Amino acid sequence: MQSKFVMSMSVAAFVAAAFAAPVSHAAPEKIIKVDGSSTVYPITEAVAEEYQKATKTKVTVGISGTGGGFKKFCRGETDISNASRPILQKEIDDCKANGVQFIELPIAFDALTVVINPKNEFAKTLSVAELKKMWEPAAQGKVKTWKQVNPAWPDQPLKLFGAGADSGTFDYFTEAIVGKAKSSRGDFTASEDDNVLVNGVAGDVNAIGYFGYAYYDENKDKLRAAAIVEKAGSPAVLPSRESIENGTYQPLGRPIFIYVNATAAAFKPHVKGFVDYYLTKSKPLIEEVKYVPLPQKDQDAVIKHWKELKPGTGFGGVAEVGVKVEDLLSRIK
Amino acid sequence: MTDQVKPQASVLANLDEVRAMIKRHKLNDSIFAIIGLVALMIGLLTLLTLFVDLVMDGYPRFNLDFMSEFPSRRAGSAGLLSAWVGSLLVLSVTFISAVPMGVGAGIYLEEYAPKNWFSDLIEINVTNLAGVPSIIYGLLALGLFVYILGLGQSIVTAGLTLGLLILPVVIVSTREAIRSIPVAIREAAYAVGATKWQVVSQHVVHYSFGGILTGVIIGMSRAIGETAPIITIGALTFIAFLPPSPVSAEPPYLNFDWLFSGFTVLPIQMFSWLSRPNPEFHINAAATGAIIIVVTLLMNGTAIWLRYNMRKKIKW
């Protein structure tokens, strides 16, 4: 027994040494690396699954949040970055510092959905001004009841549920509602996991929260989507495929993106093949995972943009709200 | 006569007192036993409820397809293949890296290290390391293995990270096991002229092997459920292929490419399914949770069984 033990120990030590030796990486295999937003993840995952079945090319998809994804992307660690908001100036600088150029491709629309408890009858429509009153940094510690937001509402506590600060959803919501990305009160229940928010709002009559449409769609029996009034006088609009396509769900209808490493796009045929597939075959997949595909005209424009391999962003480093896809693409010269 | 009766009465009275006391103490005993039982039951019932809940939620997914399919966007056809293969490979790296080091360190500290301030310092550090939150190991690994050593977000990185994580557990349990060997055994061995190495390898380690193994298995069963450090180093969420095979048909038969492959593991797969909007995926997550618990219980059970059997075999 003891000799066996000693032997197994020395074998183990030997194997450990063998492991330590080949620090040089194995020959680079053809793997397409994608990382980034959890909002875009379901679409990319679906495309990756189908593409892998069709071509046997290996694709990996991670979830690091839009910000986390860009960090890896700009270090050149990933080929494609999922993003639920446009790339920001700081990230553009990071990419530049590492010599990473990117091609910005809008791939679908999402409706950032403001949800309330189904038992809440008074806040079925919400104006952007009211949302701002709830969420702006000045509200911290002060706005604690629904009545404080709108005198017509009952004097009940206001329970807020929102996206965590690393998510593109948070950036976009604050930009659209408060007017400045990442500018929000801090005293609310924040989570990167949208199911936490779903359960929070479903379990509390006085709660209000926001997240991507897909989470609302899967939990329609537990939640009520609020209709959004963009400015005084404009109609209240519920999130839906139609209201997103015709552009009336403002300011919370948002395009979501993939960013492709321009060098990989030009020199790695498997990455190019994947993006080709993504842009031409994803429409039914996008619908299946409850997002809204781009209208055909925009889709064609995006494909043309991709074929020309034009690097750069149409946003100039700001999370601008309410831009039309065609305008966006034409800005990139 | 009266002289005889009197002391008897006093003895009897005394006896009643003693009986009352015994009764009181027995009551205390049983009160404590009940408190102990309740405490035990709270722990056991919580685990049982959790487990039954997971099994009931995950029941529809307990089939072979679930183990042999890759993850998918359709909950019904999604499976655990890449996750359990990933877990297995990561754990084997963990085993190979942590066990020799941990057992070696334990033996050294217990048998060889001189008792001075330096070994005291090491001892305090090892005990502290066992209490460091696992996310810290993840951050360390991200800096050290992923960026400085350039190992990437790979199986070898994850395996070494978990190896570090369970190292203190292995060291501490090795030392406990060695300490349980009676001094008389060592002295007897020395008395018949054994060298230190002979004493350590043929007696101390031999007799404490069961205890050491228990510590190793408990460490490994902790590693299998760890999520935080592996997420920190950037394990992938969707990975629908297996790492290159460690054995091949043509020479050199063994290859180590798999060490540098991307991967996912069981708890991460579960985590990712839980965060999906579609409740169908929560069934998959529950099934995965139940599987992780079963594997952990099996490993811990094996540890107990091994310890019992090895203890039985020892004849001093």
Side-chain angles (χ1 to χ4, degrees):
Chain A
M1 161 64 68
Q2 67 271 38
S3 61
K4 219 192 240 168
F5 179 69
V6 172
M7 217 176 79
S8 60
M9 295 286 285
S10 46
V11 167
F14 172 73
V15 178
F19 281 136
V23 177
S24 59
H25 287 257
E29 226 188 326
K30 282 185 181 170
I31 295 181
I32 302 162
K33 290 187 175 172
V34 191
D35 208 327
S37 164
S38 61
T39 310
V40 189
Y41 174 81
I43 303 177
T44 304
E45 182 203 40
V47 175
E49 189 182 347
E50 291 307 314
Y51 185 67
Q52 246 170 155
K53 273 187 201 149
T55 65
K56 303 279 169 227
T57 315
K58 294 177 175 178
V59 189
T60 65
V61 191
I63 298 182
S64 307
T66 303
F70 274 131
K71 274 184 200 140
K72 291 183 185 173
F73 180 75
C74 290
R75 280 197 297 252
E77 291 169 17
T78 53
D79 299 312
I80 297 170
S81 207
N82 292 329
S84 63
R85 56 151 173 82
I87 190 165
L88 299 177
Q89 192 56 49
K90 196 187 159 300
E91 291 154 352
I92 297 175
D93 295 344
D94 282 350
C95 277
K96 209 172 199 174
N98 292 317
V100 172
Q101 286 200 310
F102 53 83
I103 301 167
E104 180 180 72
L105 300 170
I107 45 148
F109 287 111
D110 177 34
L112 233 169
T113 306
V114 177
V115 293
I116 53 175
N117 191 280
K119 291 205 193 87
N120 182 333
E121 297 288 340
F122 54 86
K124 284 186 202 167
T125 55
L126 290 164
S127 71
V128 171
E130 284 161 349
L131 286 170
K132 186 177 178 194
K133 254 188 192 171
M134 289 178 201
W135 287 98
E136 66 189 349
Q140 178 149 345
K142 294 203 184 96
V143 178
K144 288 176 177 162
T145 65
W146 286 88
K147 200 181 169 78
Q148 280 172 292
V149 180
N150 182 337
W153 292 342
D155 194 9
Q156 286 166 2
L158 177 68
K159 302 273 180 60
L160 298 162
F161 292 83
D166 253 2
S167 85
T169 304
F170 174 78
D171 296 343
Y172 192 90
F173 184 82
T174 46
E175 176 76 38
I177 298 298
V178 182
K180 188 166 177 295
K182 294 188 189 294
S183 163
S184 165
R185 69 192 292 177
D187 52 346
F188 64 96
T189 307
S191 177
E192 311 283 355
D193 180 352
D194 292 329
N195 282 313
V196 172
L197 308 178
V198 167
N199 292 332
V201 177
D204 190 336
V205 190
N206 297 314
I208 179 165
Y210 64 87
F211 37 73
Y213 184 77
Y215 282 84
Y216 163 67
D217 193 83
E218 294 288 356
N219 296 285
K220 271 181 175 160
D221 49 334
K222 291 193 271 184
L223 301 169
R224 185 200 293 272
I228 303 296
V229 180
E230 191 186 0
K231 31 187 183 283
S234 56
V237 184
L238 277 167
S240 70
R241 182 167 177 166
E242 293 71 42
S243 65
I244 292 168
E245 275 183 346
N246 63 27
T248 52
Y249 187 67
Q250 287 295 346
L252 295 177
R254 56 171 174 173
I256 51 182
F257 308 87
I258 56 172
Y259 284 76
V260 186
N261 184 313
T263 319
F267 297 107
K268 290 186 184 168
H270 54 288
V271 173
K272 184 174 181 303
F274 178 69
V275 179
D276 283 343
Y277 189 91
Y278 205 131
L279 295 181
T280 52
K281 300 277 169 57
S282 64
K283 194 170 179 182
L285 303 175
I286 290 171
E287 284 165 359
E288 188 184 334
V289 294
K290 314 283 183 190
Y291 289 79
V292 179
L294 301 179
Q296 197 54 50
K297 185 164 62 86
D298 287 345
Q299 189 71 38
D300 292 342
V302 172
I303 292 173
K304 184 166 168 286
H305 182 75
W306 162 245
K307 292 265 188 271
E308 290 163 3
L309 294 177
K310 273 191 203 161
T313 170
F315 289 92
V318 205
E320 196 181 338
V321 168
V323 191
K324 293 230 156 48
V325 169
E326 43 191 332
D327 300 342
L328 194 64
L329 296 173
S330 64
R331 285 187 202 167
I332 304 169
K333 287 287 173 299
Chain B
M1 276 296 251
T2 48
D3 271 13
Q4 268 184 332
V5 171
K6 243 188 180 172
Q8 241 180 0
S10 81
V11 166
L12 273 180
N14 210 354
L15 203 62
D16 283 344
E17 229 170 72
V18 170
R19 282 198 178 124
M21 193 172 73
I22 291 175
K23 212 174 173 187
R24 217 169 47 237
H25 287 178
K26 279 208 168 146
L27 186 70
N28 283 350
D29 266 357
S30 42
I31 287 175
F32 182 78
I34 288 170
I35 293 175
L37 192 70
V38 168
L40 179 71
M41 278 302 145
I42 290 174
L44 272 182
L45 285 178
T46 314
L47 178 66
L48 198 71
T49 321
L50 257 171
F51 184 65
V52 169
D53 188 45
L54 283 178
V55 170
M56 275 162 55
D57 286 352
Y59 171 73
R61 296 284 185 274
F62 289 126
N63 51 48
L64 274 181
D65 286 349
F66 191 56
M67 302 306 285
S68 64
E69 290 283 346
F70 284 116
S72 160
R73 68 181 181 283
R74 296 198 181 91
S77 56
L80 278 178
L81 183 60
S82 47
W84 73 256
V85 172
S87 271
L88 196 73
L89 292 175
V90 167
L91 281 184
S92 50
V93 175
T94 303
F95 184 83
I96 287 164
S97 61
V99 172
M101 233 194 308
V103 173
I107 294 173
Y108 174 78
L109 283 175
E110 209 50 39
E111 296 292 326
Y112 290 90
K115 297 278 171 266
N116 55 22
W117 65 270
F118 188 67
S119 54
D120 285 349
L121 192 73
I122 294 179
E123 185 159 353
I124 292 171
N125 269 313
V126 170
T127 326
N128 273 335
L129 273 181
V132 170
S134 56
I135 187 93
I136 307 283
Y137 286 96
L139 291 172
L140 167 81
L142 184 66
L144 184 67
F145 297 137
V146 178
Y147 291 122
I148 296 179
L149 295 182
L151 296 176
Q153 285 135 359
S154 57
I155 290 177
V156 66
T157 303
L160 291 176
T161 310
L162 294 181
L164 279 183
L165 184 77
I166 68 165
L167 195 59
V169 180
V170 177
I171 295 177
V172 169
S173 59
T174 302
R175 300 186 62 185
E176 298 286 331
I178 290 176
R179 257 180 239 162
S180 69
I181 309 297
V183 188
I185 296 287
R186 285 166 230 245
E187 285 172 349
Y190 283 127
V192 294
T195 64
K196 185 152 197 171
W197 169 240
Q198 284 170 328
V199 173
V200 169
S201 63
Q202 295 175 6
H203 295 275
V204 174
V205 172
H206 179 45
Y207 294 136
S208 56
F209 191 64
I212 294 175
L213 208 58
T214 310
V216 168
I217 295 176
I218 287 173
M220 296 296 285
S221 64
R222 177 175 174 196
I224 198 177
E226 271 303 337
T227 323
I230 302 208
I231 287 191
T232 318
I233 61 170
L236 295 152
T237 322
F238 177 77
I239 178 155
F241 55 84
L242 295 178
S245 165
V247 281
S248 51
E250 62 272 8
Y253 304 113
L254 281 177
N255 87 62
F256 293 104
D257 287 353
W258 59 274
L259 282 171
F260 299 101
S261 168
F263 69 100
T264 189
V265 292
L266 289 169
I268 289 189
Q269 187 62 63
M270 179 179 173
F271 177 74
S272 127
W273 277 335
L274 257 189
S275 59
R276 303 291 292 242
N278 186 342
E280 281 270 293
F281 279 102
H282 302 178
I283 300 176
N284 292 17
T288 314
I291 289 170
I292 295 175
I293 291 186
V294 167
V295 172
T296 314
L297 282 180
L298 276 179
M299 286 171 76
N300 287 341
T302 315
I304 293 169
W305 181 80
L306 275 174
R307 184 171 49 191
Y308 176 75
N309 270 283
M310 293 202 168
R311 285 255 166 90
K312 238 179 25 185
K313 268 193 217 149
I314 295 174
K315 291 190 186 76
W316 280 329

